[in-house]
Amino acid sequence: MHTMPVQQFLDELASAAPTPGGGGAAAIMGAMGAALISMVANLTIGKKGYEGAEAEMKAQLAASEALRARLTAMVADDVAAFNQLMGAYRLPKDTDAQKAQRAAAIQEGLKQATRVPLACAKACAEVILVAQRSAEHGNLNVISDTGAGVLALQAGLRSAALNVYINTPMIKDPDFVAQVSQELEALMAENLPLTEAVYARVRSRMGA
């Protein structure tokens, strides 16, 4: 999955195959956002006039690259979670014991299909914090890329959230649903305004 060419990924995304789908796309949006934040750091480090930001940019680069790797790996995690859930639905249901086993496997599959996009949302939120720093310290010649990056991260965060919302109504563990919902709402409440603030800061530094 990591080495699939972009065209192939998009072709598979567009196809009738259920994976990759919105969850994988959310992870790619997040990874793309992280890559743009890395690009701005790379184009600020060593540049004349930005000597004072050198240490900050190196820290940003390390953070955004670690998160880019994590988000990229989540494309495969999303496929694995989907396959686990589909496998549970295909279990036999001829006897009461089989029905019970199948129902338990489906519930665990739904939980895993919720944990993966929640992890994606959390990772996007971590990169958004790095983007906030990028907007302050990044090379003015490429600061628009910080703006593009934070928009990709906002899309990744909100898309991952949708992939949580679609599963929680089918999960019969109220404590699990409450915890996931609470975590997600807190992430959204904190980070969506932050993405707008970063975008506004980028525009102000561009004089736009």
Side-chain angles (χ1 to χ4, degrees), residues 26 29 74 179 183 204:
M29 289 171 200
M74 285 178 189
Q179 186 188 340
E183 274 190 71
S204 84

Side-chain angles (χ1 to χ4, degrees), residues 119-200:
C120 179
K122 286 179 181 174
C124 286
E126 286 187 55
V127 193
I128 288 165
L129 291 176
V130 186
Q132 187 181 29
R133 291 156 57 194
S134 177
E136 290 301 327
H137 304 284
N139 185 334
L140 266 176
N141 293 325
V142 289
I143 204 67
S144 59
D145 293 299
T146 295
V150 85
L151 291 175
L153 291 160
Q154 185 191 99
L157 173 62
R158 297 180 84 173
S159 300
L162 290 174
N163 282 274
V164 171
Y165 296 143
I166 200 166
N167 288 313
T168 48
M170 296 177 284
I171 296 172
K172 292 171 181 171
D173 177 346
D175 292 339
F176 177 87
V177 171
Q179 186 188 340
V180 165
S181 302
Q182 195 176 347
E183 274 190 71
L184 190 59
E185 290 313 314
L187 276 175
M188 301 283 273
E190 184 179 348
N191 288 282
L192 292 182
L194 195 53
T195 60
E196 296 299 336
V198 172
Y199 184 77

